[in-house]
Amino acid sequence: MAGFWGKRKRDQQELQAHDVDLAKRAGVALVAADERVRVTTDELIFAEAELGPDATKELREALTAVRQHMGDAFRLNQLNHDEIPDTAEELRTRNARIVQLCEWAEDVLDERTSVLADKIARARRAPEIIAGVRGDIVLLRARIPHARDTVERLAVRYAPEALAQVQVNPAEAEQLLGFAEHSAGVAERRREAGQREQANLALEASTESVRRAATLLDAVETFEVESLRAESTLSAIVEDSRGDIAVALREPHSPGVATAIGELQAALASLPTAGVNTDPFAQLNRLREANAGLDAAIAAARERAARPIPPLEHVRHAIDDADRQLAVASDVIAGHRGWIGADARTRLAEAERIRVDLDRYLGTSAAAATVIGDDHREQSMAMARRVAYLASEALQLAQRDINSSRPQDPGQWGGPGWGGGGRRGGGSDMMGGILGGLVIGSILDGIFD
């Protein structure tokens, strides 16, 4: 019995010690949270001066909610110290609630202020960023003549359909750089006038335009490399296709296989002769589809277990083709984001996902893999061809979107588009398409007045 009472006394002592500690924690939390509210209120005033009221709306609303809950916490603390006696349980419950409210308040303010931290830092660095933008404009403008020469050189070798992916990139990059330079000037003038929110929006437009211009010029150089890779890959796939036909002819007679062989032979026969401007991307697409059709027909004609394992060389060619097609589609969509609809973006995203899955499936980078086991080749080839097919679809859909959205005569900077006869002419449509979803609000009216 003495042991029982001794244990009960120890439990009561531990509970009392816990209550004392909880009361101290509640007091410390109240002070810390209240001070945090006061500091954040001062930070809000500075943030509104730097970024404007719209950018700080969420922080302002969070402060309002936090003040309301902190009022509840102070009321609970007041109840702990009024003249009305309280039980230990009541004190314990209130103090626990005070700690909870204070921790919630600090978490909310941490989250909201961290969101604004980068924007405020960027606003403080605006003069440095503008100087960097102007330096980038000079460097990118120096690349435009080379890009034009590259396009002219490629036009001698490739068909217009192939070159359509990058043919207008130099002109569009030049317009973007003109827009970026003008926007940088607007950002400076609005900042000097104390219109910080509009200045930040104009600076955002300027930096985004420079980034897009760089992407367009990079795409020209990428196209030249990828087109040469496409020709090399085409030559290899032609040999692969002939080998596939030889294998298919030894298969049991099947109408499906015979039809697929005929389609692949027709695709091979349609390849242009030497000296003719070609579209290696379109030719690869046709051969790829015909190869895939032959694979499907063979699969339907015999037991899966009897299917020959694809040679490692064929798998490598399929992976190379997938990477090339993915790179071209990605460059085109990145350079014309404002014109690209959901269909092209979805195909590209799915192609990129499967390409990542292929690396996971092989346990290493598929592009760098030198050995692919027999039990992985068939699946690897199917995944690579799926990537190439989806990327090809994404490129076709992107080109459709670009062709349907690009104005027939977009005009040049300062011409009939921007301020040359109307506030929002063809040039505005073009720049709106190139800049995509960049939201700069009513500042556009000021920029081009």
Side-chain angles (χ1 to χ4, degrees):
M1 181 64 95
F4 170 78
W5 290 111
K7 182 178 182 302
R8 183 174 180 182
K9 184 177 180 180
R10 285 194 302 272
D11 290 344
Q12 289 176 341
Q13 290 173 342
E14 290 176 0
L15 186 58
Q16 289 172 354
H18 170 75
D19 288 345
V20 170
D21 180 64
L22 183 59
K24 290 180 180 179
R25 285 177 54 203
V28 171
L30 267 176
V31 173
D34 184 58
E35 188 61 26
R36 182 60 190 278
V37 170
R38 296 174 188 276
V39 171
T40 305
T41 301
D42 294 337
E43 291 177 348
L44 175 61
I45 295 172
F46 174 79
E48 285 182 341
E50 286 289 336
L51 306 175
D54 289 344
T56 57
K57 179 182 176 183
E58 290 187 358
L59 177 57
R60 190 165 52 254
E61 291 175 347
L63 265 174
T64 300
V66 165
R67 288 193 185 101
Q68 179 181 348
H69 285 77
M70 286 301 297
D72 294 340
F74 278 115
R75 280 191 291 273
L76 291 173
N77 194 50
Q78 177 60 34
L79 289 175
N80 287 346
H81 296 87
D82 62 15
E83 67 280 3
I84 301 175
D86 299 303
T87 65
E89 181 64 28
E90 288 174 334
L91 291 171
R92 189 180 307 121
T93 301
R94 288 179 195 146
N95 286 329
R97 179 59 176 162
I98 289 171
V99 171
Q100 182 184 40
L101 288 171
C102 292
E103 289 177 347
W104 172 85
E106 295 218 44
D107 288 344
V108 169
L109 296 181
D110 282 344
E111 180 183 350
R112 294 295 185 269
T113 53
S114 64
V115 170
L116 293 178
D118 290 341
K119 293 182 179 179
I120 292 174
R122 184 178 176 83
R124 289 172 174 170
R125 293 177 51 244
E128 176 187 343
I129 294 172
I130 291 173
V133 165
R134 290 203 163 112
D136 291 341
I137 289 172
V138 172
L139 294 175
L140 290 173
R141 276 189 171 143
R143 291 176 54 188
I144 290 177
H146 175 70
R148 287 199 175 104
D149 292 343
T150 300
V151 171
E152 290 176 3
R153 183 173 65 253
L154 293 172
V156 177
R157 185 179 183 89
Y158 299 109
E161 296 79 14
L163 203 57
Q165 301 171 23
V166 296
Q167 193 164 22
V168 298
N169 282 22
E172 291 179 356
E174 190 170 29
Q175 286 197 334
L176 277 165
L177 293 177
F179 180 84
E181 189 170 39
H182 189 78
S183 299
V186 170
E188 284 182 324
R189 292 191 295 274
R190 295 297 170 90
R191 188 171 182 81
E192 290 170 0
Q195 299 171 326
R196 298 300 179 90
E197 184 172 9
Q198 294 182 349
N200 293 332
L201 290 172
L203 181 56
E204 183 181 351
S206 181
T207 54
E208 175 68 4
S209 297
V210 168
R211 191 194 66 77
R212 296 286 181 85
T215 298
L216 290 172
L217 294 176
D218 289 343
V220 175
E221 297 178 6
T222 300
F223 177 87
E224 184 172 26
V225 174
E226 294 302 331
S227 57
L228 292 173
R229 283 187 61 192
E231 290 187 85
S232 175
T233 304
L234 179 63
S235 176
I237 288 183
V238 166
E239 294 303 317
D240 292 347
S241 298
R242 289 171 179 159
D244 290 343
I245 290 173
V247 171
L249 289 173
R250 295 195 294 270
E251 291 296 315
H253 177 74
S254 165
V257 172
T259 301
I261 289 174
E263 291 176 354
L264 184 52
Q265 288 174 331
L268 291 170
S270 70
L271 296 175
T273 57
V276 177
N277 283 14
T278 64
D279 183 351
F281 306 107
Q283 292 158 11
L284 276 172
N285 289 343
R286 184 173 180 187
L287 277 179
R288 188 186 307 114
E289 291 174 1
N291 266 294
L294 181 57
D295 288 344
I298 292 175
R302 61 183 179 171
E303 291 294 329
R304 187 170 186 82
R307 289 185 67 173
I309 298 172
L312 177 60
E313 187 179 47
H314 291 199
V315 179
R316 296 294 316 141
H317 291 330
I319 293 172
D320 289 344
D321 181 33
D323 288 342
R324 178 204 55 76
Q325 190 71 14
L326 196 58
V328 172
S330 179
D331 280 343
V332 170
I333 291 175
H336 303 80
R337 280 165 45 191
W339 289 334
I340 306 302
D343 291 343
R345 293 168 186 263
T346 300
R347 301 298 193 286
L348 179 62
E350 180 65 9
E352 291 172 339
R353 183 190 68 78
I354 296 174
R355 184 62 184 82
V356 171
D357 287 347
L358 176 56
D359 283 344
R360 282 203 200 96
Y361 177 70
L362 294 176
T364 183
S365 169
T370 57
V371 177
I372 299 177
D374 292 352
D375 55 338
H376 289 92
R377 291 183 188 177
E378 185 175 2
Q379 180 66 14
S380 298
M381 178 172 280
M383 294 174 75
R385 287 179 171 174
R386 181 61 177 166
V387 169
Y389 179 79
L390 288 168
S392 172
E393 272 198 332
L395 183 61
Q396 293 172 12
L397 291 167
Q399 194 62 54
R400 179 202 66 187
D401 294 340
I402 293 169
N403 292 339
S404 63
S405 301
R406 180 183 289 134
Q408 294 299 314
D409 183 14
Q412 299 298 319
W413 181 262
W418 292 111
R423 288 174 59 206
R424 301 291 176 85
S428 66
D429 291 335
M430 183 175 190
M431 293 309 297
I434 294 174
L435 289 177
L438 186 62
V439 179
I440 60 175
S442 60
I443 187 66
L444 283 177
D445 292 332
I447 289 177
F448 299 105
D449 280 346

